Amino acid sequence: MSLIERLRAVVGRDALLTSPSDLLVYECDGYTIEKKTPDVVVFPTSTEQVVEVVKACNEAGVPFLPRGAGTSLAGGCLPVGGGVMITLTRMKRILEINLRDRCAVVEAGVVNEWLSNRLRPDGYHYAPDPSSQKACTIGGNVATNSGGPHTLKYGVTVNHVMGLELVLPDGRVAQTGGPTEDNPGYDLTGVIVGSEGTFGIATKATVRITRSPEAYRTLLGVFETIDDATNTISDIIGAGIIPGALELLDALILKAVEEAFRCGFPLDAGAVLIMEVDGLEAGLDADAERITEIARRNGAREVRRANGDAERALLWKARKQAFGAVGRLANSYCTQDGVVPRTKLPHILREIQRIGAQYNIKIANVFHAGDGNIHPILLFDERDADQVKRVLAASHDILDECLRCGGSVTGEHGIGVEKIDFMPKLFTPEDLGMMLRLRQAFNPENRCSPAKMFPTAGACIEPSKAGRRAAL
């Protein structure tokens, strides 16, 4: 029996794709510069099916990798060596909600927003809220340790994952953590979150659920320059105020968002800053007034307050769907994901403008300003090879500058295939060697998600990329 026949027996005829036209859908994630179609895509509906798929791949010597909704932005689910793509979007059940213990158990394919929608009537929510919240899956969030606008106050995915069910690369099933707040021994859950599918395939997660705030105050600061907006961010945090979110949109992205959503953004502004505080009703007005004063002291020409839930929802719709609006500005775009200390935000944004001019590339900015996580959006046409070359060079220069500022090359998108060459700049050969030893403990054959996260030459040498086998 061939591998394809065996896989079809496991998942069923309607849960397996092999035709070239169908496979094209899975040739890349949100990082569209690099593409590679898998040889087969399967859609398991249970952990047991994932186990059988993994065992079949191992027996045939074929590489495999997991995929969620494909909203990731660094090529984390790119099938570099071909092989079998295990797409988990049909594993979409919310298995348990325990309000007393404040946790929920979900399958990997549950869309992030679905959980909060389910919890909202009971006064709870799931705190990590990536901008792709309406589409991204919790399994994908686990893979890249996703962030989002409200993680400034509430933390990133790893702070809200209490336990995982993991299908190891040899087909065994492991359980880590659980619903209790503290577990003895090593924090294997924390190790797995952010490992980008290189340790195995997460099929279920026990996640922490959070009581929803009693009230919000959502403000929009309008600034003549990006410098004024970023100085406001530093001063707000310096004043001891921890907002729920601080999000910056520059003039270029404002144009696209306003055309798409008609939010009333001033198109002559250099930048706007969405500033939100949440919590108990008592004291929120005072915090909002302090933030307003800080913004005006830094040159804000106007500070608006959202009046009611509808206006707040419109502001957040504009922010979270900003990337979708970028299509109004260019045929293609590449979103970067650097991190710098908050005090370096004015500097890095000036550098982004300089780099854009150097490479003749337009760059829009919309990002999680409160925690220094920048998301410059480089606009181009991927049909033009010269533009692609310039975009990649500009991207690398931006990330190099983040490192010079004492930051990192990723805050929530992961390394994937896009940023492998930066790993030796971030870590010593000894550090990288230790990371490879850790991966080898989980994934000794490097058959699960091969050619991700680590370079294959230089100071850090790993086994050669796995290729396709004739068994397919």
Side-chain angles (χ1 to χ4, degrees):
M1 182 184 292
S2 71
L3 176 58
I4 289 176
E5 290 171 334
R6 184 170 174 184
L7 295 175
R8 187 177 289 119
V10 171
V11 299
R13 185 172 298 276
D14 64 344
L16 183 143
L17 303 177
T18 57
S19 72
S21 58
D22 289 336
L23 296 175
L24 276 177
V25 177
Y26 300 91
E27 68 178 357
C28 66
D29 58 12
Y31 181 64
T32 61
I33 291 177
E34 292 197 41
K35 296 182 172 71
K36 172 68 178 178
T37 55
D39 294 288
V40 185
V41 177
V42 296
F43 299 89
T45 57
S46 68
T47 300
E48 292 74 20
Q49 287 188 355
V50 174
V51 167
E52 291 305 313
V53 169
V54 167
K55 287 181 177 179
C57 290
N58 277 317
E59 290 175 16
V62 170
F64 55 91
L65 80 164
R67 176 185 168 111
T71 59
S72 49
L73 292 162
C77 55
L78 186 77
V80 176
V84 176
M85 178 176 284
I86 304 171
T87 301
L88 301 167
T89 48
R90 295 188 185 180
M91 295 180 63
K92 55 186 179 182
R93 293 178 297 165
I94 298 173
L95 299 169
E96 180 184 353
I97 291 176
N98 186 333
L99 296 180
R100 288 191 68 181
D101 292 332
R102 298 197 178 184
C103 66
V105 181
V106 300
E107 291 184 323
V110 169
V111 171
N112 181 291
E113 189 179 57
W114 293 354
L115 182 56
S116 285
N117 287 345
R118 179 85 164 267
L119 293 166
R120 188 171 293 113
D122 295 309
Y124 289 85
H125 69 290
Y126 178 59
D129 61 338
S131 296
S132 56
Q133 184 182 26
K134 291 180 179 295
C136 65
T137 62
I138 289 179
N141 298 162
V142 168
T144 61
N145 193 20
S146 299
H150 289 90
T151 55
L152 169 63
K153 179 176 180 179
Y154 292 100
V156 294
T157 296
V158 72
N159 304 118
H160 300 271
V161 176
M162 305 171 74
L164 291 168
E165 178 183 84
L166 187 75
V167 177
L168 294 168
D170 63 4
R172 289 177 297 161
V173 179
Q175 305 283 343
T176 69
T180 57
E181 288 296 327
D182 189 21
N183 287 282
Y186 296 117
D187 180 14
L188 294 178
T189 302
V191 169
I192 295 165
V193 175
S195 61
E196 301 187 39
T198 61
F199 291 172
I201 301 169
T203 49
K204 294 175 188 171
T206 301
V207 299
R208 179 174 289 107
I209 58 178
T210 303
R211 173 74 73 176
S212 297
E214 181 180 317
Y216 301 88
R217 296 292 184 273
T218 308
L219 310 172
L220 183 73
V222 181
F223 297 87
E224 298 294 340
T225 69
I226 291 180
D227 274 13
D228 291 342
T230 52
N231 286 330
T232 298
I233 293 159
S234 293
D235 287 353
I236 288 171
I237 303 298
I241 303 169
I242 305 298
L246 283 172
E247 297 286 307
L248 186 147
L249 295 81
D250 74 1
L252 189 54
I253 198 70
L254 279 176
K255 176 184 175 185
V257 167
E258 184 60 21
E259 286 182 6
F261 304 115
R262 304 297 178 189
C263 297
F265 288 137
L267 295 181
D268 61 340
V272 300
L273 195 59
I274 299 174
M275 306 170 285
E276 183 168 276
V277 288
D278 61 24
L280 297 175
E281 178 72 42
L284 284 187
D285 283 333
D287 282 345
E289 289 169 7
R290 290 174 66 198
I291 288 174
T292 299
E293 179 185 347
I294 291 169
R296 287 177 174 155
R297 197 164 61 232
N298 280 284
R301 75 184 194 203
E302 181 184 3
V303 179
R304 307 175 186 174
R305 181 183 292 192
N307 293 314
D309 291 341
E311 288 191 13
R312 175 178 180 263
L314 183 60
L315 280 177
W316 281 115
K317 177 181 180 180
R319 167 59 189 95
K320 290 197 172 186
Q321 297 187 24
F323 289 99
V326 173
R328 297 170 181 268
L329 302 176
N331 292 326
S332 312
Y333 65 88
C334 175
T335 304
Q336 272 309 332
D337 175 45
V339 182
V340 297
R342 278 185 292 265
T343 54
K344 294 290 187 180
L345 282 172
H347 167 79
I348 195 65
L349 287 168
R350 286 193 293 269
E351 282 297 294
I352 289 170
Q353 291 174 331
R354 180 191 65 77
I355 290 167
Q358 176 184 341
Y359 290 99
N360 192 26
I361 292 289
K362 287 185 177 181
I363 304 178
N365 291 279
V366 52
F367 57 91
H368 312 316
D371 51 10
N373 189 182
I374 62 169
H375 290 320
I377 305 169
L378 294 85
L379 309 175
F380 69 108
D381 186 339
E382 65 179 289
R383 297 168 296 186
D384 184 332
D386 179 64
Q387 287 190 44
V388 173
K389 182 179 178 180
R390 285 186 280 124
V391 160
L392 289 173
S395 293
H396 289 173
D397 284 2
I398 290 170
L399 295 176
D400 276 332
E401 189 60 33
C402 288
L403 294 180
R404 282 190 285 271
C405 290
S408 173
V409 298
T410 181
E412 57 175 330
H413 296 175
I415 298 298
V417 299
E418 177 195 13
K419 298 173 182 175
I420 286 176
D421 291 343
F422 284 93
M423 292 294 274
K425 299 180 181 181
L426 274 168
F427 301 103
T428 66
E430 291 77 15
D431 291 337
L432 290 171
M434 185 59 69
M435 292 180 198
L436 284 169
R437 288 173 63 188
L438 178 61
R439 187 187 67 181
Q440 189 173 30
F442 285 88
N443 186 11
E445 301 295 326
N446 193 22
R447 191 170 287 128
C448 183
S449 296
K452 303 289 170 58
M453 295 185 72
F454 298 107
T456 56
C460 172
I461 301 175
E462 65 167 337
S464 299
K465 297 178 182 179
R468 292 174 291 176
R469 302 294 180 90
L472 283 167

